[in-house]
Amino acid sequence: MSIRYMSIKDTAPVALAVKDRVEEVLARTPKGLLINNEWRDASDGGTFDVENPTTGETIATLASATEEDCRAAMDAAAGAQDAWARTPSRTRSEILRRAFDLVQERKDDLALLMTLEMGKPFAEALGEVRYGGEFLRWFSEEAVRDYGRYVDSPEGNLRMLVSHKPVGPCLLITPWNFPLAMATRKVAPAVAAGCTMVLKPAHLTPLTSQYFAQIMVDAGIPAGVLNVVSSTAASMVSETIMADPRLRKVSFTGSTAVGKLLMKLATDNVLRTSMELGGNGPLIVFEDADIDKAVAGAMAAKMRNMGEACTAANRLLVHESVVDEFVAKLAEKMSALTVGNGLEEGVTVGPMIEAKARDSIERFVTDAVDRGAEIVVGGKRVEGPGYFFEPTLLRNVPRDARVIREEIFGPVAPVITFKDEEEAVELANATEYGLASYVFTENISRGLRIGDRIEFGLMGLNVGVISNAAAPFGGAKQSGLGREGGAEGIHEYTTTQYIGVESPWA
Ligand code: NAD
C-alpha cells in the first residue's frame, strides 16, 4: 500500500481561491489583546509568534498578555457584569444570532486561518466553521427560553420561585485542536446566560479566536463582556485570574493533566468548573456489524482532524471473526488518503500541530512495534518541512502497548480483537477516560445494552461523528465534568436561585 504525497512546500499555481487571500486575511486578523472592546498591545510590549505547522514558518506575531493585562481584562469583565446580567435576553440572543450570520459570511476567512495555524485541510476547517457556528445559533435560541418554575410547597405555606441567574465573570481556556468550535462552545452559552468573560485561546492557534472575537464585537457585544488575553504564559494567566475574588467560574477544554491543576486552583475561591478533558475512545465492531459502515465510521472517528480530537477513536476493538475483513477494508481507505498542505485540493490529512506532537506519535508507533504489533499501513514520519506523520494502521497490537493505554492524538489506528460482548465491554471500559465511544452492530438491542454498560459520556451507535450543538457534550471519569451544548449547556453558566414567597392562603 502506498500513500500519495502532495508537495508540502508548494510553489505550484494556487489550487484553492482562498490561497490568494492569505496575506489579506492575516493582515485583517487582530493581533492585540481585547479588553473593553479595544485591541491593545501587551503592557510590556511583549509578543509571540504563531507558526504554520505545514511549513514551519511564522505567519503572525501577537501581543502576549502579562499579569497586568490579565488584571485589566478581569476588571473589564467584572465591571460589565451587572449591566450585562440585566440586559434583556432577547438582546443577548440577537447578538449571538448576528454573530452566527457573520460567521457564515466570513466562513472562508475563518477556515483559512484554521488551516494556516492548525494545519487541518481547508474542507475540514469549513466543517468546523459549520459546527462551531451552530453554537452561536443554538444558544441564541436557548437564551430566551431559560425557564424556571413556580410551584406551591407540598405544605401549602409557600409559593416557590426557582430561577436561573448568570453565575458571573468566567475564565474560558481553550485548546488548539478546534480553534473556533472550542471557543464558540463556551462563549455562546456564557453570553446567552448573561455572564461576562475572559477568553484565553491556545497560544499555538490564537488567530481564529482573535478573528472570532472581532466578529463578536461587530455583532454588538458590549464592552467588557468578552475579553481576550492570548499569551504564552498560560499558568500565569490562570493563576492571576483565578486568584481574583470576582471570578465565579472556570471552563476549560484541554488535557486531563492541566484540568486537574485548574481544579486544584479552583478550590481556593470555590469556583464553579466545567472540564472537557482528554479521551481514549473505543470503537467496537461486533460480528453482526455492517462492516462497510464500521469502516466508514472508523475513518471518520479516527482520521477527522488528523486524529487530533478528544473524540477520536483511539482503540479499534474488533470481533475476531471479522477482523481480517475489517482491517483489509480500512487499510484500503487509509492508503487512499492524501497527506499534505491543507490548502491544496485533494489533501485529506494535514500536519501534526508541532514537532513535539509528531515525535510523540512516532514513539507510540515504535513502542507498539517493539511489543509485537504489525504495521499494515504507514508507520513513519514524513520528512519536513512541516510536522507530518503517515496515516498508520496497526494490527495484533498487545493490550499493554502505549497506543492502547494512552491518548494518541494522531493518525494512528491500533486494532485489537475480542471474543465476546463481555470482553468487548471490559476492554472498552479499561481506561481512566470516559469521553467518546463508538459501537457498530446491526442488533439495536445489543447496541443499547452496550450503551447501558459503557462508562462514556458519549456513544455513537453505527456512526462515527456525533458532535452537535443541540446535544450535551462531555465526559465521564477523568474525561471531565459538565456538559457543553444541548439543553444542558447554558446551565454551566447559571446558578439556581430559589425564592420562597409567603402563600396568599397561609
Ligand atoms: P493543554 O491542556 O496542553 O492546553 C489547553 C489549554 O490550556 C491551552 O489554552 C493552554 O495554553 C492552556 N494551558 C496549558 N497549561 C496550562 C496551565 N498550567 N495552566 C493553565 N492553562 C494551561 O491541551 P492541548 O494540547 O491544547 O489540547 C489537547 C487536549 O485537549 C487533549 O487531551 C484533548 O483530548 C483535549 N480536548 C478535550 C476536548 C473535550 O471536549 N473534552 C476537546 C478538545 C480537546
mmCIF file of all heavy atoms in Angstrom, residues 254-300:
data_model
loop_
_atom_site.group_PDB
_atom_site.id
_atom_site.type_symbol
_atom_site.label_atom_id
_atom_site.label_comp_id
_atom_site.label_asym_id
_atom_site.label_seq_id
_atom_site.Cartn_x
_atom_site.Cartn_y
_atom_site.Cartn_z
ATOM 1 N N GLY A 254 -9.117 20.872 27.408
ATOM 2 C CA GLY A 254 -7.708 20.569 27.180
ATOM 3 C C GLY A 254 -7.360 19.237 27.810
ATOM 4 O O GLY A 254 -8.238 18.386 27.995
ATOM 5 N N SER A 255 -6.103 19.080 28.165
ATOM 6 C CA SER A 255 -5.655 17.782 28.665
ATOM 7 C C SER A 255 -6.114 17.553 30.105
ATOM 8 O O SER A 255 -6.333 18.502 30.866
ATOM 9 C CB SER A 255 -4.131 17.731 28.588
ATOM 10 O OG SER A 255 -3.591 18.767 29.379
ATOM 11 N N THR A 256 -6.212 16.298 30.459
ATOM 12 C CA THR A 256 -6.621 15.943 31.825
ATOM 13 C C THR A 256 -5.605 16.467 32.843
ATOM 14 O O THR A 256 -5.983 16.953 33.908
ATOM 15 C CB THR A 256 -6.804 14.410 31.929
ATOM 16 O OG1 THR A 256 -7.873 14.050 31.047
ATOM 17 C CG2 THR A 256 -7.156 13.966 33.332
ATOM 18 N N ALA A 257 -4.313 16.432 32.479
ATOM 19 C CA ALA A 257 -3.284 16.878 33.429
ATOM 20 C C ALA A 257 -3.485 18.353 33.786
ATOM 21 O O ALA A 257 -3.464 18.718 34.967
ATOM 22 C CB ALA A 257 -1.896 16.658 32.822
ATOM 23 N N VAL A 258 -3.698 19.195 32.774
ATOM 24 C CA VAL A 258 -3.893 20.628 33.061
ATOM 25 C C VAL A 258 -5.251 20.838 33.745
ATOM 26 O O VAL A 258 -5.369 21.652 34.670
ATOM 27 C CB VAL A 258 -3.756 21.477 31.780
ATOM 28 C CG1 VAL A 258 -4.110 22.928 32.055
ATOM 29 C CG2 VAL A 258 -2.328 21.386 31.230
ATOM 30 N N GLY A 259 -6.255 20.080 33.362
ATOM 31 C CA GLY A 259 -7.574 20.178 34.011
ATOM 32 C C GLY A 259 -7.464 19.934 35.512
ATOM 33 O O GLY A 259 -8.065 20.648 36.318
ATOM 34 N N LYS A 260 -6.662 18.942 35.893
ATOM 35 C CA LYS A 260 -6.506 18.638 37.322
ATOM 36 C C LYS A 260 -5.841 19.805 38.057
ATOM 37 O O LYS A 260 -6.235 20.150 39.170
ATOM 38 C CB LYS A 260 -5.656 17.376 37.498
ATOM 39 C CG LYS A 260 -6.399 16.104 37.130
ATOM 40 C CD LYS A 260 -5.484 14.902 37.326
ATOM 41 C CE LYS A 260 -6.177 13.631 36.887
ATOM 42 N NZ LYS A 260 -5.328 12.446 37.013
ATOM 43 N N LEU A 261 -4.832 20.426 37.394
ATOM 44 C CA LEU A 261 -4.169 21.583 38.015
ATOM 45 C C LEU A 261 -5.179 22.705 38.250
ATOM 46 O O LEU A 261 -5.212 23.337 39.307
ATOM 47 C CB LEU A 261 -3.076 22.136 37.086
ATOM 48 C CG LEU A 261 -1.788 21.352 36.936
ATOM 49 C CD1 LEU A 261 -0.873 22.038 35.925
ATOM 50 C CD2 LEU A 261 -1.092 21.295 38.308
ATOM 51 N N LEU A 262 -6.031 22.939 37.239
ATOM 52 C CA LEU A 262 -7.001 24.034 37.345
ATOM 53 C C LEU A 262 -8.057 23.717 38.404
ATOM 54 O O LEU A 262 -8.522 24.619 39.110
ATOM 55 C CB LEU A 262 -7.649 24.296 35.982
ATOM 56 C CG LEU A 262 -6.686 24.848 34.924
ATOM 57 C CD1 LEU A 262 -7.363 24.940 33.568
ATOM 58 C CD2 LEU A 262 -6.143 26.227 35.326
ATOM 59 N N MET A 263 -8.420 22.435 38.523
ATOM 60 C CA MET A 263 -9.401 22.084 39.564
ATOM 61 C C MET A 263 -8.821 22.362 40.944
ATOM 62 O O MET A 263 -9.530 22.825 41.839
ATOM 63 C CB MET A 263 -9.820 20.623 39.426
ATOM 64 C CG MET A 263 -10.759 20.433 38.252
ATOM 65 S SD MET A 263 -11.202 18.712 37.993
ATOM 66 C CE MET A 263 -12.362 18.478 39.329
ATOM 67 N N LYS A 264 -7.529 22.089 41.106
ATOM 68 C CA LYS A 264 -6.893 22.382 42.403
ATOM 69 C C LYS A 264 -6.912 23.891 42.665
ATOM 70 O O LYS A 264 -7.243 24.341 43.753
ATOM 71 C CB LYS A 264 -5.455 21.866 42.416
ATOM 72 C CG LYS A 264 -5.410 20.356 42.563
ATOM 73 C CD LYS A 264 -3.990 19.848 42.709
ATOM 74 C CE LYS A 264 -4.015 18.314 42.674
ATOM 75 N NZ LYS A 264 -2.906 17.734 41.948
ATOM 76 N N LEU A 265 -6.568 24.635 41.609
ATOM 77 C CA LEU A 265 -6.529 26.097 41.730
ATOM 78 C C LEU A 265 -7.929 26.655 42.042
ATOM 79 O O LEU A 265 -8.064 27.668 42.722
ATOM 80 C CB LEU A 265 -6.036 26.663 40.391
ATOM 81 C CG LEU A 265 -5.148 27.879 40.355
ATOM 82 C CD1 LEU A 265 -3.946 27.715 41.272
ATOM 83 C CD2 LEU A 265 -4.655 28.112 38.909
ATOM 84 N N ALA A 266 -8.946 25.972 41.545
ATOM 85 C CA ALA A 266 -10.328 26.455 41.708
ATOM 86 C C ALA A 266 -10.840 26.289 43.134
ATOM 87 O O ALA A 266 -11.847 26.896 43.507
ATOM 88 C CB ALA A 266 -11.253 25.714 40.741
ATOM 89 N N THR A 267 -10.137 25.478 43.933
ATOM 90 C CA THR A 267 -10.656 25.230 45.289
ATOM 91 C C THR A 267 -10.535 26.474 46.177
ATOM 92 O O THR A 267 -11.379 26.701 47.027
ATOM 93 C CB THR A 267 -9.912 24.066 45.991
ATOM 94 O OG1 THR A 267 -8.522 24.360 45.995
ATOM 95 C CG2 THR A 267 -10.168 22.749 45.305
ATOM 96 N N ASP A 268 -9.495 27.286 45.951
ATOM 97 C CA ASP A 268 -9.271 28.425 46.852
ATOM 98 C C ASP A 268 -10.481 29.345 46.934
ATOM 99 O O ASP A 268 -10.865 29.785 48.006
ATOM 100 C CB ASP A 268 -8.045 29.231 46.399
ATOM 101 C CG ASP A 268 -6.754 28.530 46.785
ATOM 102 O OD1 ASP A 268 -6.838 27.583 47.603
ATOM 103 O OD2 ASP A 268 -5.689 28.910 46.259
ATOM 104 N N ASN A 269 -11.070 29.646 45.769
ATOM 105 C CA ASN A 269 -12.238 30.528 45.783
ATOM 106 C C ASN A 269 -13.530 29.761 45.494
ATOM 107 O O ASN A 269 -14.546 30.359 45.154
ATOM 108 C CB ASN A 269 -12.058 31.670 44.781
ATOM 109 C CG ASN A 269 -11.015 32.670 45.263
ATOM 110 O OD1 ASN A 269 -10.830 32.845 46.471
ATOM 111 N ND2 ASN A 269 -10.315 33.292 44.340
ATOM 112 N N VAL A 270 -13.494 28.439 45.643
ATOM 113 C CA VAL A 270 -14.662 27.574 45.401
ATOM 114 C C VAL A 270 -15.352 27.961 44.079
ATOM 115 O O VAL A 270 -16.540 28.292 44.043
ATOM 116 C CB VAL A 270 -15.651 27.598 46.585
ATOM 117 C CG1 VAL A 270 -16.661 26.453 46.472
ATOM 118 C CG2 VAL A 270 -14.908 27.491 47.912
ATOM 119 N N LEU A 271 -14.559 27.923 43.010
ATOM 120 C CA LEU A 271 -15.097 28.316 41.703
ATOM 121 C C LEU A 271 -15.893 27.178 41.080
ATOM 122 O O LEU A 271 -15.539 26.008 41.241
ATOM 123 C CB LEU A 271 -13.945 28.672 40.755
ATOM 124 C CG LEU A 271 -13.122 29.891 41.126
ATOM 125 C CD1 LEU A 271 -11.920 30.013 40.197
ATOM 126 C CD2 LEU A 271 -13.982 31.146 41.038
ATOM 127 N N ARG A 272 -16.954 27.543 40.385
ATOM 128 C CA ARG A 272 -17.629 26.544 39.542
ATOM 129 C C ARG A 272 -16.647 26.122 38.448
ATOM 130 O O ARG A 272 -15.892 26.963 37.925
ATOM 131 C CB ARG A 272 -18.848 27.182 38.863
ATOM 132 C CG ARG A 272 -20.056 27.353 39.761
ATOM 133 C CD ARG A 272 -20.971 26.141 39.755
ATOM 134 N NE ARG A 272 -21.548 25.852 38.458
ATOM 135 C CZ ARG A 272 -22.667 26.388 37.989
ATOM 136 N NH1 ARG A 272 -23.338 27.256 38.719
ATOM 137 N NH2 ARG A 272 -23.133 26.054 36.797
ATOM 138 N N THR A 273 -16.661 24.852 38.063
ATOM 139 C CA THR A 273 -15.763 24.409 36.993
ATOM 140 C C THR A 273 -16.525 23.572 35.964
ATOM 141 O O THR A 273 -17.445 22.831 36.315
ATOM 142 C CB THR A 273 -14.604 23.526 37.523
ATOM 143 O OG1 THR A 273 -15.161 22.416 38.210
ATOM 144 C CG2 THR A 273 -13.674 24.272 38.437
ATOM 145 N N SER A 274 -16.144 23.749 34.700
ATOM 146 C CA SER A 274 -16.543 22.808 33.646
ATOM 147 C C SER A 274 -15.233 22.315 33.059
ATOM 148 O O SER A 274 -14.355 23.117 32.744
ATOM 149 C CB SER A 274 -17.332 23.492 32.531
ATOM 150 O OG SER A 274 -18.520 24.034 33.031
ATOM 151 N N MET A 275 -15.108 21.019 32.914
ATOM 152 C CA MET A 275 -13.837 20.416 32.472
ATOM 153 C C MET A 275 -14.102 19.472 31.313
ATOM 154 O O MET A 275 -14.764 18.441 31.491
ATOM 155 C CB MET A 275 -13.212 19.630 33.637
ATOM 156 C CG MET A 275 -12.754 20.500 34.788
ATOM 157 S SD MET A 275 -11.211 21.332 34.366
ATOM 158 C CE MET A 275 -11.358 22.845 35.309
ATOM 159 N N GLU A 276 -13.632 19.848 30.138
ATOM 160 C CA GLU A 276 -13.725 18.968 28.957
ATOM 161 C C GLU A 276 -12.316 18.472 28.691
ATOM 162 O O GLU A 276 -11.481 19.216 28.160
ATOM 163 C CB GLU A 276 -14.256 19.749 27.748
ATOM 164 C CG GLU A 276 -15.664 20.304 27.919
ATOM 165 C CD GLU A 276 -16.740 19.235 27.810
ATOM 166 O OE1 GLU A 276 -16.414 18.076 27.477
ATOM 167 O OE2 GLU A 276 -17.904 19.554 28.078
ATOM 168 N N LEU A 277 -12.031 17.229 29.076
ATOM 169 C CA LEU A 277 -10.635 16.791 29.120
ATOM 170 C C LEU A 277 -10.328 15.708 28.081
ATOM 171 O O LEU A 277 -11.028 15.574 27.094
ATOM 172 C CB LEU A 277 -10.311 16.342 30.550
ATOM 173 C CG LEU A 277 -10.699 17.363 31.634
ATOM 174 C CD1 LEU A 277 -10.425 16.850 33.030
ATOM 175 C CD2 LEU A 277 -9.990 18.701 31.414
ATOM 176 N N GLY A 278 -9.280 14.967 28.329
ATOM 177 C CA GLY A 278 -8.788 14.025 27.327
ATOM 178 C C GLY A 278 -9.667 12.791 27.175
ATOM 179 O O GLY A 278 -10.626 12.585 27.924
ATOM 180 N N GLY A 279 -9.333 11.970 26.182
ATOM 181 C CA GLY A 279 -10.122 10.758 25.936
ATOM 182 C C GLY A 279 -9.242 9.595 25.516
ATOM 183 O O GLY A 279 -8.062 9.758 25.200
ATOM 184 N N ASN A 280 -9.829 8.408 25.537
ATOM 185 C CA ASN A 280 -9.176 7.203 24.998
ATOM 186 C C ASN A 280 -10.312 6.337 24.465
ATOM 187 O O ASN A 280 -10.649 5.290 25.012
ATOM 188 C CB ASN A 280 -8.376 6.488 26.090
ATOM 189 C CG ASN A 280 -7.684 5.243 25.569
ATOM 190 O OD1 ASN A 280 -7.822 4.886 24.394
ATOM 191 N ND2 ASN A 280 -6.962 4.556 26.431
ATOM 192 N N GLY A 281 -10.958 6.856 23.404
ATOM 193 C CA GLY A 281 -12.224 6.300 22.927
ATOM 194 C C GLY A 281 -12.091 4.932 22.280
ATOM 195 O O GLY A 281 -11.231 4.730 21.423
ATOM 196 N N PRO A 282 -12.963 3.982 22.671
ATOM 197 C CA PRO A 282 -13.012 2.695 21.976
ATOM 198 C C PRO A 282 -13.992 2.766 20.802
ATOM 199 O O PRO A 282 -14.993 3.486 20.860
ATOM 200 C CB PRO A 282 -13.563 1.752 23.055
ATOM 201 C CG PRO A 282 -14.436 2.635 23.905
ATOM 202 C CD PRO A 282 -13.865 4.028 23.841
ATOM 203 N N LEU A 283 -13.696 2.030 19.745
ATOM 204 C CA LEU A 283 -14.660 1.843 18.660
ATOM 205 C C LEU A 283 -14.819 0.331 18.529
ATOM 206 O O LEU A 283 -13.851 -0.376 18.237
ATOM 207 C CB LEU A 283 -14.137 2.472 17.371
ATOM 208 C CG LEU A 283 -15.081 2.407 16.157
ATOM 209 C CD1 LEU A 283 -14.986 3.687 15.332
ATOM 210 C CD2 LEU A 283 -14.794 1.196 15.275
ATOM 211 N N ILE A 284 -16.020 -0.152 18.860
ATOM 212 C CA ILE A 284 -16.245 -1.605 18.929
ATOM 213 C C ILE A 284 -16.966 -2.066 17.670
ATOM 214 O O ILE A 284 -18.021 -1.508 17.306
ATOM 215 C CB ILE A 284 -17.112 -1.962 20.159
ATOM 216 C CG1 ILE A 284 -16.527 -1.347 21.441
ATOM 217 C CG2 ILE A 284 -17.255 -3.470 20.299
ATOM 218 C CD1 ILE A 284 -17.391 -1.558 22.676
ATOM 219 N N VAL A 285 -16.407 -3.064 17.005
ATOM 220 C CA VAL A 285 -17.056 -3.633 15.821
ATOM 221 C C VAL A 285 -17.450 -5.067 16.157
ATOM 222 O O VAL A 285 -16.584 -5.939 16.320
ATOM 223 C CB VAL A 285 -16.097 -3.610 14.603
ATOM 224 C CG1 VAL A 285 -16.809 -4.154 13.367
ATOM 225 C CG2 VAL A 285 -15.581 -2.195 14.356
ATOM 226 N N PHE A 286 -18.776 -5.293 16.269
ATOM 227 C CA PHE A 286 -19.251 -6.643 16.573
ATOM 228 C C PHE A 286 -19.318 -7.490 15.311
ATOM 229 O O PHE A 286 -19.302 -6.966 14.181
ATOM 230 C CB PHE A 286 -20.626 -6.561 17.256
ATOM 231 C CG PHE A 286 -20.515 -6.180 18.707
ATOM 232 C CD1 PHE A 286 -20.824 -4.900 19.142
ATOM 233 C CD2 PHE A 286 -20.075 -7.116 19.646
ATOM 234 C CE1 PHE A 286 -20.695 -4.551 20.476
ATOM 235 C CE2 PHE A 286 -19.943 -6.766 20.986
ATOM 236 C CZ PHE A 286 -20.255 -5.490 21.406
ATOM 237 N N GLU A 287 -19.470 -8.794 15.507
ATOM 238 C CA GLU A 287 -19.503 -9.718 14.361
ATOM 239 C C GLU A 287 -20.758 -9.486 13.519
ATOM 240 O O GLU A 287 -20.785 -9.841 12.337
ATOM 241 C CB GLU A 287 -19.410 -11.186 14.837
ATOM 242 C CG GLU A 287 -20.582 -11.721 15.659
ATOM 243 C CD GLU A 287 -20.541 -11.298 17.132
ATOM 244 O OE1 GLU A 287 -19.781 -10.366 17.474
ATOM 245 O OE2 GLU A 287 -21.294 -11.897 17.939
ATOM 246 N N ASP A 288 -21.806 -8.875 14.107
ATOM 247 C CA ASP A 288 -23.031 -8.627 13.354
ATOM 248 C C ASP A 288 -23.087 -7.194 12.808
ATOM 249 O O ASP A 288 -24.142 -6.695 12.448
ATOM 250 C CB ASP A 288 -24.262 -8.917 14.229
ATOM 251 C CG ASP A 288 -24.222 -8.139 15.542
ATOM 252 O OD1 ASP A 288 -23.350 -7.247 15.685
ATOM 253 O OD2 ASP A 288 -25.045 -8.413 16.431
ATOM 254 N N ALA A 289 -21.941 -6.522 12.758
ATOM 255 C CA ALA A 289 -21.915 -5.144 12.223
ATOM 256 C C ALA A 289 -21.963 -5.170 10.703
ATOM 257 O O ALA A 289 -21.556 -6.152 10.071
ATOM 258 C CB ALA A 289 -20.632 -4.449 12.678
ATOM 259 N N ASP A 290 -22.438 -4.078 10.126
ATOM 260 C CA ASP A 290 -22.273 -3.846 8.687
ATOM 261 C C ASP A 290 -20.825 -3.340 8.549
ATOM 262 O O ASP A 290 -20.509 -2.216 8.984
ATOM 263 C CB ASP A 290 -23.295 -2.789 8.250
ATOM 264 C CG ASP A 290 -23.112 -2.353 6.809
ATOM 265 O OD1 ASP A 290 -21.968 -2.393 6.312
ATOM 266 O OD2 ASP A 290 -24.111 -1.954 6.191
ATOM 267 N N ILE A 291 -19.957 -4.149 7.989
ATOM 268 C CA ILE A 291 -18.515 -3.835 8.032
ATOM 269 C C ILE A 291 -18.186 -2.566 7.236
ATOM 270 O O ILE A 291 -17.344 -1.764 7.657
ATOM 271 C CB ILE A 291 -17.665 -5.046 7.548
ATOM 272 C CG1 ILE A 291 -17.910 -6.257 8.457
ATOM 273 C CG2 ILE A 291 -16.176 -4.703 7.514
ATOM 274 C CD1 ILE A 291 -17.508 -6.072 9.914
ATOM 275 N N ASP A 292 -18.883 -2.350 6.136
ATOM 276 C CA ASP A 292 -18.605 -1.123 5.369
ATOM 277 C C ASP A 292 -18.955 0.118 6.199
ATOM 278 O O ASP A 292 -18.227 1.116 6.197
ATOM 279 C CB ASP A 292 -19.396 -1.113 4.053
ATOM 280 C CG ASP A 292 -18.852 -2.169 3.091
ATOM 281 O OD1 ASP A 292 -17.653 -2.502 3.208
ATOM 282 O OD2 ASP A 292 -19.627 -2.672 2.255
ATOM 283 N N LYS A 293 -20.070 0.008 6.906
ATOM 284 C CA LYS A 293 -20.482 1.127 7.775
ATOM 285 C C LYS A 293 -19.441 1.325 8.896
ATOM 286 O O LYS A 293 -19.077 2.451 9.237
ATOM 287 C CB LYS A 293 -21.841 0.779 8.380
ATOM 288 C CG LYS A 293 -22.737 1.963 8.652
ATOM 289 C CD LYS A 293 -23.952 1.543 9.461
ATOM 290 C CE LYS A 293 -25.068 0.954 8.625
ATOM 291 N NZ LYS A 293 -26.210 0.509 9.479
ATOM 292 N N ALA A 294 -18.981 0.218 9.427
ATOM 293 C CA ALA A 294 -17.998 0.299 10.524
ATOM 294 C C ALA A 294 -16.686 0.915 10.026
ATOM 295 O O ALA A 294 -16.056 1.707 10.736
ATOM 296 C CB ALA A 294 -17.748 -1.095 11.105
ATOM 297 N N VAL A 295 -16.299 0.577 8.807
ATOM 298 C CA VAL A 295 -15.059 1.134 8.249
ATOM 299 C C VAL A 295 -15.235 2.640 8.019
ATOM 300 O O VAL A 295 -14.352 3.449 8.375
ATOM 301 C CB VAL A 295 -14.667 0.393 6.944
ATOM 302 C CG1 VAL A 295 -13.586 1.143 6.189
ATOM 303 C CG2 VAL A 295 -14.218 -1.026 7.271
ATOM 304 N N ALA A 296 -16.386 3.016 7.474
ATOM 305 C CA ALA A 296 -16.651 4.451 7.255
ATOM 306 C C ALA A 296 -16.649 5.179 8.601
ATOM 307 O O ALA A 296 -16.085 6.279 8.744
ATOM 308 C CB ALA A 296 -17.981 4.642 6.536
ATOM 309 N N GLY A 297 -17.266 4.571 9.611
ATOM 310 C CA GLY A 297 -17.305 5.171 10.947
ATOM 311 C C GLY A 297 -15.910 5.290 11.540
ATOM 312 O O GLY A 297 -15.557 6.312 12.144
ATOM 313 N N ALA A 298 -15.114 4.253 11.354
ATOM 314 C CA ALA A 298 -13.744 4.274 11.900
ATOM 315 C C ALA A 298 -12.914 5.350 11.209
ATOM 316 O O ALA A 298 -12.132 6.054 11.860
ATOM 317 C CB ALA A 298 -13.095 2.896 11.727
ATOM 318 N N MET A 299 -13.091 5.501 9.903
ATOM 319 C CA MET A 299 -12.350 6.552 9.178
ATOM 320 C C MET A 299 -12.709 7.925 9.750
ATOM 321 O O MET A 299 -11.834 8.762 9.988
ATOM 322 C CB MET A 299 -12.690 6.518 7.682
ATOM 323 C CG MET A 299 -12.018 5.412 6.915
ATOM 324 S SD MET A 299 -10.217 5.516 6.967
ATOM 325 C CE MET A 299 -9.925 6.927 5.904
ATOM 326 N N ALA A 300 -14.005 8.147 9.954
ATOM 327 C CA ALA A 300 -14.441 9.452 10.462
ATOM 328 C C ALA A 300 -13.956 9.656 11.895
ATOM 329 O O ALA A 300 -13.405 10.711 12.248
ATOM 330 C CB ALA A 300 -15.961 9.548 10.394
#
